[in-house]
Amino acid sequence: NSKYKVVIVGGGSGGCAVAAKLSPLGKQCAAIEPSDLHYYQPVWTLVGGGLRGFQSSVRPTREVLPSSIDWIQDKAVKFDPGKNNLELGSGDKVEYDFLVVAMGIQLDFDKVDGLVDALENDPAVASNYSPKWVNKTFPAMQKFPGGNAIFTYPNTPIKCAGAAQKIMYLTEEFLRTAGVRENSNVIFNTAKNVIFGVKKYADALQQVIQSRNIQVNYKHNLVSVYHKKKTAIFANMARDNALVPFEYNFLHVTPPMSSPDVLKKSPLVNEGGWVDLNKHTLQHTKFSNVFGLGDCTSLPTSKTAAAVAAQCGILHQNLTATMQGKKVTPLYDGYASCPLITSRNKCILAEFDYNLQPLETLPINQGVERRLTYGMKAHIMPGLYWQVMMKGRWNGPATFRKVLHLGMSRSPKLEA
Ligand code: FAD
Ligand code: UQ1
């Protein structure tokens, strides 16, 4: 059994960004992360689209976590925040003074009947959301014979909500260049009733969808896949979940997701299973020595690495204040961003806050398809992530926004 001043659970985007900021604590800080490999998941959209190799998304965890702190290569399996400790897969207990929870979101492929079987056995079924299946996407696109190319969006919160449709735009473009677009239907079956949560970008995406002859079926939730019959079954939520079969020749699945099971059964979460935080301070609502960030939290914003970037500096500031016996400051406005790639060289760069109001960094309209924002997504973000965010020096673009707007950009009010 061991004891640390600060324990971070999860060594993904949020855990590593915070670990880098806490690296001066040295061995008083530990990060618990089971995986040898750290993934830069945003590049998986490009991997699926055949525009990047998978290897560009992977680095050894050892090289991403700061070497000054302890890396405990294990899983957290039980939390006891009343006693300031947690249990590891090995059975050992770890005690802490302060806890940072950054465990990400769980992919629930098994909640869709027949889906795992289809992913394992049908080359036409793929998912950019998992390192296990993202490498199937581009080959499936290349082998697409015509017919139905179907893209799904589940009936749960998910990370990077845009990614479910970005791959559809890349596929549609690919099919046109490959000469098979005329005898194919490109179909987006989404459990939601809107294409995107922020109206400005939803309007822009609707134009893209119309001009490219994409079919969207709202309130359609994937419930099973019979790959031997090349059929995907959707529940029509607007018609008492009546089952609607679709034949597919390419099926890209965005799986249902939920909070990690270990968290769901812990005292740290709200009814939804998410780590229950004050949405402006990132401090836990019940345990004042616990903080959290990223996809596993209750923060009512879009689950993205861009949001994690904006959160990590605020978490660090408020954690440090708490460690010094000072008060926390409400600072987080819900900033999140989603680079909505619409082709292999164009992007709509959505940026917004808790009120779903646009909060754009560039002094130009980001709600139109642009090469510039594609360039940022494909060529600037990866370096920004590995070289700056993972070193603890990126807190999101708020400062740039203020400078680029000559101090005249909106500063969201932080209402409780
Ligand atoms: P993660 O980075 O997922 O890390 C969670 C970590 O917790 C993992 O390393 C995991 O191993 C660990 N863990 C889990 N359970 C335990 C346990 N019991 N004990 C210890 N450790 C545990 N974001 C953007 O900003 N822009 C984009 O363009 C974008 N595109 C995306 C495209 C795709 C296809 C995907 C999948 C994601 C995309 N994202 C994008 C989202 C972004 O990757 C996530 O929002 C971000 O990684 C969240 O960080 P996190 O630290 O919360 O979770
Ligand atoms: C961002 O900060 C970030 O984290 C590194 C991303 O993740 C890959 C993003 O996709 C985006 C768009 C941002 C926001 C940054 C700028 C400069 C707009």
Side-chain angles (χ1 to χ4, degrees), residues 201-371:
Y201 308 114
D203 291 347
L205 291 167
Q206 284 299 352
Q207 284 184 13
V208 173
I209 285 166
Q210 271 166 30
S211 70
R212 292 170 57 180
N213 194 24
I214 292 168
Q215 203 180 306
V216 182
N217 298 307
Y218 294 103
K219 292 278 173 193
H220 276 56
N221 184 34
L222 179 67
V223 290
S224 40
V225 181
Y226 297 106
H227 75 85
K228 288 184 183 142
K229 295 185 177 156
K230 292 269 182 210
T231 301
I233 313 279
F234 293 81
N236 184 342
M237 298 158 67
R239 301 247 186 291
D240 276 338
N241 286 328
L243 299 179
V244 194
F246 281 76
E247 262 182 56
Y248 67 81
N249 303 87
F250 173 36
L251 179 64
H252 179 274
V253 178
T254 298
M257 302 180 202
S258 64
S259 176
D261 288 339
V262 181
L263 279 176
K264 281 182 203 132
K265 56 182 197 209
S266 81
L268 292 168
V269 299
N270 66 13
E271 328 74 78
W274 310 104
V275 178
D276 202 3
L277 303 179
N278 176 295
K279 71 177 193 175
H280 297 309
T281 68
L282 313 186
Q283 185 176 42
H284 198 274
T285 53
K286 295 185 199 84
F287 306 99
S288 61
N289 63 336
V290 177
F291 290 78
L293 79 170
D295 297 352
C296 66
T297 69
S298 64
L299 301 173
T301 190
S302 175
K303 297 184 186 297
T304 62
V308 169
Q311 291 159 15
C312 66
I314 294 166
L315 185 150
H316 181 238
Q317 185 177 329
N318 280 335
L319 170 62
T320 308
T322 307
M323 286 163 69
Q324 296 170 347
K326 296 183 190 148
K327 273 197 187 154
V328 294
T329 318
L331 291 166
Y332 185 47
D333 57 17
Y335 172 86
S337 169
C338 191
L340 295 155
I341 292 175
T342 53
S343 98
R344 71 185 66 159
N345 55 21
K346 289 205 183 72
C347 176
I348 291 169
L349 181 52
E351 293 181 278
F352 47 93
D353 63 11
Y354 277 139
N355 301 319
L356 300 177
Q357 296 307 308
L359 197 57
E360 299 184 349
T361 302
L362 303 175
I364 51 173
N365 182 2
Q366 293 176 196
V368 294
E369 296 179 84
R370 290 185 187 275
R371 283 171 185 269

Side-chain angles (χ1 to χ4, degrees), residues 9-15 32-35 37-45 74-77 79 102-105 128-130 159-160 163 166 260 262 293-296 303-308 337-339 377 385:
V9 188
S13 305
I32 301 172
E33 165 60 56
S35 173
L37 302 176
H38 179 107
Y39 297 109
Y40 175 64
Q41 302 165 40
V43 87
W44 290 345
T45 296
D74 202 344
K75 281 183 189 160
V77 296
F79 290 91
M103 289 163 62
I105 193 167
N128 285 359
Y129 277 85
S130 162
K159 55 183 156 187
C160 198
K166 296 173 197 178
V262 181
L293 79 170
D295 297 352
C296 66
K303 297 184 186 297
T304 62
V308 169
S337 169
C338 191
K377 156 76 189 171
Y385 183 84

